[in-house]
Amino acid sequence: MKKKCFNIVWLIAVLLSFTACNDFLDIQPIGKVMPKTGQEFRDLLTEAYSAIPPERGKTVYRSDELILDQGSTTSDGLNLYLDIWRWKDGSEDESTTSFGWLTFYYVSYIANTVIENKNAIIEVTEAQRNQLAGEAYMLRAYMHYVLVNLYAPPYTHCNPATTKGIPLKLSSDVRDVLSRNTVAEVYSSILSDINEAENLLNVETWPEGETYRFNKLSVNAFRARIYLYMGDWLKAYQDATKVVEQHNELEDMTSSSLLPNHYQSAEAIVSFEKVFIPEFQTNGRVSNNLLNLYRSGDMRKSKFYRAETTSISYVTKGGNNEYRCTFRTAEFYLTAAEAALELNDMDNAHYYLTELMKKRYHSSRYPTYEALILSMTKDELRQEIYDERFRELAFEGHRWFDLRRTNRPELTKTYDGETYILQKDDERYTLRIPSEAIQANPGLEEE
């Protein structure tokens, strides 16, 4: 069989097309000047953070969060996203936007450059040098995490050791020819990078304006998410509870003026992703299935969404740069609850779930729902945790990945009188590798 290879050389043209704020961002051997000082490498990482595309946010079109209809969506929005929304893969309209691929490898290229030049950085303290390299490891891991969850079968629904995933890019050499790594190899690399970062990151918290950068706590947060996606319940629980122990703040929705996914929220841990961008906000309305999940007394329904009628609401927890959100506290209460449940620790599953609910429900209604939670069977509680993740983390880039890693249910959508169905365990839960990548290397399309 022809070897499946991924030639990085085609990245050269792409890298040259990016507009950089400083000459040193044209990195050798592609450009003219190699960064040397700590400030130059910091600026290089800032470019990497700012280049990350909102692809996790774009997955709202694949999931069951958003309704597209002629009354709620611009004509441009329909042209760009309709075929994504109705899972029409492989024969999309030529105006359909594609999910990103190139930019993730661009960011990885920058991360690799910082990692490889760590010991050569000048005009910097040892702690600053380590922090820069630690952030680079986290960035590289995060790029691979998004890619493998877009373009490879979910870890929990395949044989990770043999199933092909995405190419790992672990060096800055643009001449490298890479094959697609297995899903297991990708996850192993992600965890290895997180562990390397743990030894290097030394900033506990960043001042306002710099909270897009990875900090020490983000190691446990990122690792907890990865272990959750792998179904490694004990390790997911251990890392999630470490996050909550160190950063247990939750916005009180009965009194707080900030939404919990705001970058200034007490819940914010790291905030570099602009997930639900303004373009997405104007291209649809909140699905009725989601709206119907919110119970009476749940303060999120009126704060996360703007109701136009009793059945039509629009997203308010996004649409501008203030709603940058990568890791926040509530996610890890929910991760701890789910992992505890799967470990047959019902007491802690109840505890972490209800601690979150206390801050989301009106005090007059909370006792009723707490009693309901405590009366549930294990299977009922599992579904409740899934539903609570949907209610809490909607439009933050989690839902599609959650659907993939859990039960991959059948989804049904209707547009202009036509019904579209994503079957249970449908192969379309995994995206096709973009055409531009396949044009550069047709072998990527092979099974």
Side-chain angles (χ1 to χ4, degrees):
M1 180 180 293
K2 185 172 65 175
K3 182 180 179 182
K4 303 175 194 176
C5 294
F6 174 62
N7 196 328
I8 291 293
V9 173
W10 56 270
L11 268 176
I12 293 176
V14 176
L15 291 169
L16 287 173
S17 72
F18 279 85
T19 300
C21 58
N22 294 288
D23 287 342
F24 61 77
L25 294 179
D26 293 322
I27 307 170
Q28 292 179 330
I30 298 167
K32 301 173 289 185
V33 183
M34 186 70 184
K36 296 179 181 179
T37 69
Q39 185 57 56
E40 289 171 344
F41 275 98
R42 169 53 68 193
D43 290 346
L44 189 58
L45 280 179
T46 300
E47 165 69 11
Y49 282 115
S50 65
I52 297 170
E55 303 309 274
R56 285 205 309 124
K58 194 184 290 184
T59 61
V60 300
Y61 294 104
R62 301 291 288 189
S63 75
D64 51 355
E65 294 159 273
L66 197 70
I67 291 176
L68 292 187
D69 60 42
Q70 292 175 322
S72 67
T73 309
T74 65
S75 58
D76 287 343
L78 284 175
N79 292 335
L80 290 171
Y81 299 111
L82 178 59
D83 283 348
I84 294 176
W85 182 81
R86 61 187 178 181
W87 314 294
K88 187 181 178 184
D89 300 341
S91 58
E92 306 95 329
D93 185 87
E94 62 180 12
S95 62
T96 300
T97 190
S98 61
F99 277 82
W101 174 273
L102 293 166
T103 310
F104 291 105
Y105 286 102
Y106 169 65
V107 173
S108 293
Y109 176 83
I110 293 178
N112 286 324
T113 298
V114 176
I115 291 167
E116 292 164 4
N117 289 278
K118 169 181 175 287
N119 294 327
I121 303 174
I122 62 173
E123 298 178 21
V124 70
T125 67
E126 187 65 17
Q128 291 169 333
R129 181 182 290 113
N130 287 339
Q131 178 67 31
L132 289 167
E135 290 178 53
Y137 276 110
M138 292 288 275
L139 273 170
R140 185 171 74 180
Y142 205 85
M143 297 305 96
H144 289 142
Y145 147 72
V146 178
L147 284 166
V148 78
N149 280 283
L150 290 175
Y151 297 111
Y155 193 99
T156 49
H157 290 279
C158 71
N159 181 343
T162 59
T163 301
K164 290 297 183 181
I166 50 96
L168 287 167
K169 180 56 181 154
L170 303 176
S171 83
S172 64
D173 189 343
V174 297
R175 296 163 297 184
D176 283 348
V177 177
L178 306 178
S179 60
R180 288 173 64 188
N181 295 85
T182 66
V183 171
E185 288 170 337
V186 175
Y187 273 83
S188 178
S189 178
I190 291 168
L191 288 169
S192 177
D193 278 353
I194 296 172
N195 293 339
E196 287 290 339
E198 186 172 26
N199 297 323
L200 296 167
L201 294 171
N202 51 77
V203 173
E204 298 280 355
T205 58
W206 290 101
E208 185 172 337
E210 298 176 359
T211 56
Y212 61 88
R213 301 172 182 174
F214 287 107
N215 53 33
K216 289 183 68 174
L217 185 58
S218 64
V219 167
N220 295 116
F222 193 7
R223 202 158 46 200
R225 188 185 291 177
I226 295 302
Y227 283 133
L228 180 75
Y229 283 33
M230 296 173 70
D232 191 329
W233 304 116
L234 179 59
K235 291 178 180 177
Y237 181 79
Q238 290 171 338
D239 276 299
T241 54
K242 285 178 182 177
V243 174
V244 174
E245 287 167 5
Q246 297 176 61
H247 191 87
N248 62 5
E249 295 90 341
L250 290 167
E251 292 290 347
D252 188 339
M253 298 297 289
T254 65
S255 59
S256 177
S257 60
L258 281 179
L259 295 185
N261 64 318
H262 193 283
Y263 82 99
Q264 292 177 321
S265 166
E267 297 192 22
I269 297 172
V270 177
S271 308
F272 65 76
E273 287 174 286
K274 291 174 274 190
V275 185
F276 199 68
I277 61 175
E279 180 179 314
F280 300 163
Q281 191 179 40
T282 60
N283 284 333
R285 57 183 174 88
V286 184
S287 75
N288 294 332
N289 288 340
L290 173 55
L291 289 174
N292 292 337
L293 276 181
Y294 293 96
R295 302 182 177 102
S296 174
D298 191 329
M299 307 300 293
R300 292 171 294 194
K301 186 174 182 178
S302 62
K303 295 198 173 187
F304 285 3
Y305 314 113
R306 172 181 59 82
E308 187 165 291
T309 69
T310 56
S311 61
I312 297 177
S313 293
Y314 295 94
V315 180
T316 57
K317 61 179 304 197
N320 63 58
N321 288 342
E322 293 181 348
Y323 294 102
R324 297 192 306 271
C325 185
T326 302
F327 300 118
R328 66 177 177 92
T329 313
E331 176 187 347
F332 303 99
Y333 277 86
L334 291 164
T335 297
E338 183 177 344
L341 175 74
E342 300 301 342
L343 293 168
N344 296 312
D345 182 355
M346 295 288 282
D347 288 343
N348 275 313
H350 291 144
Y351 171 76
Y352 286 105
L353 182 59
T354 56
E355 283 298 296
L356 174 61
M357 291 173 63
K358 287 177 185 177
K359 302 295 185 180
R360 301 302 189 246
Y361 287 85
H362 193 279
S363 59
S364 65
R365 301 295 297 167
Y366 170 74
T368 300
Y369 300 131
E370 180 187 36
L372 176 63
I373 297 299
L374 295 176
S375 70
M376 289 180 174
T377 66
K378 183 177 180 179
D379 287 343
E380 290 170 339
L381 186 58
R382 180 184 294 111
Q383 186 59 54
E384 177 64 23
I385 292 170
Y386 291 169
D387 289 346
E388 188 61 20
R389 284 184 67 92
F390 195 8
R391 288 186 285 256
E392 177 67 24
L393 302 175
F395 300 100
E396 295 180 40
H398 292 275
R399 179 61 174 173
W400 179 248
F401 289 178
D402 278 346
L403 291 171
R404 280 169 40 88
R405 72 175 179 83
T406 57
N407 49 16
R408 296 194 294 180
E410 179 179 297
L411 300 180
T412 302
K413 297 178 180 179
T414 302
Y415 174 77
D416 197 24
E418 293 287 333
T419 297
Y420 304 93
I421 298 175
L422 185 71
Q423 301 287 350
K424 179 173 172 56
D425 297 322
D426 200 301
E427 65 179 10
R428 290 172 294 175
Y429 268 109
T430 297
L431 299 183
R432 298 185 177 200
I433 292 175
S435 58
E436 64 266 25
I438 294 171
Q439 287 170 6
N441 177 14
L444 285 176
E445 196 173 29
E446 296 178 6
E447 292 296 329

